[in-house]
Amino acid sequence: MSLFRKFFGPTDVSSNDDNNSIYNDIPQDLSSTLEERFTSRFMKNGGKFIYCENLNEVKEQFLNILEENDWFECDVLCYESNLNSMLDENKLNYNCKPENPKFFFSTCENLIAEEGSILFSSNQIKQNKPKELPKNMVVFAKTSQIIESVGDGLREIKKKYLTNYPTNNTTIKYFEEAKEENFMQYGSAAKNLYLLLLEDQ
C-alpha cells in the first residue's frame, strides 16, 4: 500500500471548510521517509499539497483549483505541450505568451525532501527567474520524483538528459509571504503554489 494512501485514504473534495481542507489534512508528526519529509516541509513552507491516486483525480482537483480561484477562461503561462490537454478541457488560453497570466502551469524535475522545495529547469520555466513567473502556480508532479536533496536532483537531471542538458536549474521554496522579516527569504519570490501529486509507485 502506498505511504500516501495509508495517511490520506481516498481524497474528499466535497468540503470547502478551511479546517477540513485537503491542503491541510496532513499528519504533523512526519519525520522519517522521503515522502513524509517532503510533505511536512513543503506545507511548512506554505505550499498547498493535493494528493491524487490517478489521473482522473488530478483533473478533478485541477478543476477544483480553477473554481476556488475563479480562473476559468483566463490566460495561463505554460511551456509544456504535454499539459495542453488539461488546459484545453478547461478552456484556458495558453497559445501565446500572455501579458498578465492568472497562473503558471508546469511539471517539475524533482521534489526536494530536505527543504520542501520544487526543482525546475529550463524545460519547465525556460530562462525565467522565479520572480519573473506569475505569483500563482500549479505544479503537476509524481511521487517517484521525490528525492532527498538538491544535489540528488541535479544528478537525476544529468542522468535523465544525456544530451540537451537543461540550463536554469533552480528551486522554489517559499509559498507564502513571510509574516515578519526573515533574512532566509530575502531576495526570494514567494509563490501561491498548488502541488498536484500523482501516486505512481
Side-chain angles (χ1 to χ4, degrees):
M1 173 182 279
S2 158
L3 175 68
F4 284 103
R5 283 196 197 97
K6 183 172 71 175
F7 284 138
F8 307 119
T11 51
D12 177 7
V13 299
S14 60
S15 173
N16 290 323
D17 186 338
D18 287 343
N19 293 326
N20 295 318
S21 172
I22 55 175
Y23 311 136
N24 300 319
D25 191 20
I26 307 293
Q28 295 302 305
D29 60 342
L30 303 179
S31 61
S32 58
T33 69
L34 278 177
E35 293 88 352
E36 292 170 337
R37 288 196 297 278
F38 172 75
T39 303
S40 178
R41 291 167 186 167
F42 173 78
M43 296 190 69
K44 186 175 181 182
N45 292 342
K48 297 178 177 75
F49 171 91
I50 307 172
Y51 169 70
C52 304
E53 288 192 339
N54 53 57
L55 281 172
N56 285 336
E57 282 190 10
V58 170
K59 292 178 180 180
E60 183 179 356
Q61 297 289 8
F62 183 62
L63 180 61
N64 288 340
I65 293 170
L66 299 179
E67 288 178 346
E68 178 181 316
N69 294 281
D70 193 20
W71 286 342
F72 290 107
E73 298 183 12
C74 70
D75 290 342
V76 178
L77 181 60
C78 180
Y79 296 117
E80 298 170 85
S81 60
N82 58 310
L83 297 176
N84 289 354
S85 62
M86 287 179 65
L87 300 174
D88 288 333
E89 287 172 14
N90 293 286
K91 299 180 180 177
L92 297 165
N93 179 30
Y94 59 90
N95 291 322
C96 60
K97 186 174 180 181
E99 287 186 19
N100 295 299
K102 290 288 187 181
F103 67 98
F104 176 64
F105 186 40
S106 79
T107 62
C108 65
E109 295 295 344
N110 287 105
L111 307 172
I112 310 300
E114 184 177 64
E115 57 185 26
S117 64
I118 300 181
L119 176 62
F120 297 94
S121 77
S122 54
N123 288 328
Q124 294 90 35
I125 64 174
K126 299 300 183 186
Q127 297 306 316
N128 292 300
K129 297 176 182 177
K131 66 181 180 182
E132 295 170 336
L133 296 169
K135 178 178 177 60
N136 300 308
M137 301 180 71
V138 179
V139 176
F140 172 41
K142 300 176 181 178
T143 54
S144 59
Q145 292 178 272
I146 301 174
I147 57 174
E148 180 60 42
S149 68
V150 173
D152 292 334
L154 296 176
R155 283 189 286 276
E156 287 291 318
I157 289 174
K158 283 185 178 179
K159 284 194 291 185
K160 183 177 179 182
Y161 304 102
L162 298 177
T163 59
N164 298 323
Y165 185 76
T167 57
N168 197 24
N169 301 311
T170 187
T171 59
I172 294 180
K173 178 178 179 180
Y174 300 107
F175 311 114
E176 63 182 1
E177 299 290 345
K179 295 181 175 60
E180 53 191 52
E181 284 192 30
N182 180 348
F183 78 94
M184 295 293 287
Q185 282 189 246
Y186 183 76
S188 298
K191 302 295 183 181
N192 175 37
L193 191 144
Y194 295 83
L195 175 62
L196 293 166
L197 186 64
L198 173 64
E199 175 67 56
D200 71 335
Q201 294 180 323

